[in-house]
């Protein structure tokens, strides 16, 4: 079993100690460094080259989100999981924009945290349940005067329709029912959307579409 090496960043020493004690109970996870703010986390990452960085969203001097953005500029492939005490849609959407691979509340169980770290270390993305619906709420709050005449990134009009339904949180089957087409067709259209937008998953497709103004 390969050991996943971690750098843990949180401004509360007791939280760091508690997380480290819990993670020490898991044989394949090892905390190799700790940091009390984002700036120190960046130094530890450069020094220790961990597999995964586990950071609190809210820290002094440099927040977890700011550290994540800095890592994306200098170390774009670094795997990052953000932890937060608060269930905040704004922080979640900002983290997604910055390319986070994992986003968890601190009240997760040890088993859930350990599994999230393993999945992120293996190259997967782990996000909270219901993320599409929560992003859709963010979309609903955006101005509606985007230009729709020009279809960005080579998307077809039907693909834009599918993308808007994805943003509303609909599954492939629900989209197929809404458009009167086959579920397999929607799956193929979704794959095409992800490819054209250069993203890995539906959530980031919605965020990219928000940036392009086609929702």
């Amino acid at each position: 079993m390969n050991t996943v090496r971690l750098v843990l960043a949180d401004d509360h020493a007791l939280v760091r100690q508690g997380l480290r004690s819990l993670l020490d109970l898991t044989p394949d996870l090892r905390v190799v460094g700790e940091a009390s703010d984002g700036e120190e986390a960046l130094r530890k990452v450069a020094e220790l080259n961990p597999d995964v960085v586990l950071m609190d969203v809210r820290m002094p001097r440099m927040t977890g989100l700011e550290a994540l953005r800095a890592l994306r500029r200098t170390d774009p492939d670094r795997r990052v999981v953000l932890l937060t005490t608060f269930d905040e849609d704004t922080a979640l959407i900002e983290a997604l924009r910055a390319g986070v691979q994992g986003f968890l509340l601190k009240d997760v169980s040890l088993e859930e945290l350990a599994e999230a770290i393993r999945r992120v270390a293996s190259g997967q993305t782990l996000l909270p349940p219901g993320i599409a619906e929560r992003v859709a709420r963010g979309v609903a709050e955006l101005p509606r005067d985007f230009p729709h005449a020009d279809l960005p990134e080579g998307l077809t009009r039907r693909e834009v329709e599918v993308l808007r339904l994805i943003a509303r949180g609909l599954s492939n089957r629900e989209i197929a029912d809404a458009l009167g087409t086959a579920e397999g067709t929607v799956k193929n259209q979704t794959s095409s959307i992800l490819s054209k937008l250069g993203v890995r998953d539906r959530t980031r497709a919605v965020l990219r579409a928000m940036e392009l103004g086609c929702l």
Side-chain angles (χ1 to χ4, degrees):
M1 182 181 296
N2 294 328
T3 299
V4 178
R5 301 170 66 256
L6 301 161
V7 160
L8 176 61
D10 194 291
D11 57 316
H12 294 99
L14 286 176
V15 172
R16 293 199 308 274
Q17 291 169 11
L19 284 171
R20 183 165 199 154
S21 297
L22 287 173
L23 293 170
D24 282 346
L25 299 174
T26 309
D28 60 327
L29 304 179
R30 182 161 65 95
V31 177
V32 297
E34 296 182 21
S36 59
D37 59 55
E39 290 183 358
E40 187 178 7
L42 294 178
R43 292 195 296 270
K44 292 290 185 180
V45 169
E47 174 189 347
L48 299 169
N49 191 30
D51 300 304
V52 175
V53 186
L54 194 61
M55 287 194 293
D56 186 17
V57 169
R58 296 170 178 256
M59 293 186 290
R61 296 176 62 190
M62 178 183 281
T63 69
L65 279 172
E66 290 168 340
L68 171 63
R69 295 188 189 105
L71 278 173
R72 288 293 164 263
R73 291 191 295 269
T74 62
D75 193 1
D77 296 326
R78 184 68 58 186
R79 313 298 294 174
V80 177
V81 175
L82 289 178
L83 292 170
T84 181
T85 308
F86 307 98
D87 195 3
E88 295 179 293
D89 287 353
T90 301
L92 172 57
I93 291 174
E94 286 302 311
L96 287 167
R97 286 184 184 278
V100 75
Q101 286 85 22
F103 193 98
L104 297 170
L105 293 176
K106 287 184 179 178
D107 62 0
V108 295
S109 67
L110 171 60
E111 291 76 14
E112 290 171 324
L113 177 60
E115 183 59 23
I117 292 169
R118 293 187 191 104
R119 288 176 59 181
V120 167
S122 72
Q124 299 180 53
T125 298
L126 185 80
L127 300 171
I131 178 59
E133 292 86 345
R134 295 168 66 178
V135 171
R137 287 203 298 271
V139 172
E141 295 169 1
L142 293 174
R144 288 304 186 186
D145 56 352
F146 295 124
H148 292 263
D150 297 326
L151 301 177
E153 307 297 327
L155 294 173
T156 67
R157 293 193 179 278
R158 177 47 65 95
E159 286 170 347
V160 171
E161 287 183 80
V162 171
L163 189 51
R164 290 174 181 165
L165 294 174
I166 289 173
R168 289 172 53 189
L170 273 65
S171 67
N172 286 339
R173 179 177 296 278
E174 291 168 333
I175 293 172
D177 291 342
L179 297 179
T181 189
E183 184 178 358
T185 300
V186 174
K187 288 180 180 178
N188 291 336
Q189 290 166 334
T190 301
S191 296
S192 176
I193 291 167
L194 299 183
S195 176
K196 290 178 179 180
L197 294 180
V199 296
R200 298 190 303 273
D201 54 56
R202 292 159 61 106
T203 300
R204 287 189 171 84
V206 172
L207 290 169
R208 179 65 179 145
M210 289 166 60
E211 294 171 354
L212 294 170
C214 62
L215 288 180

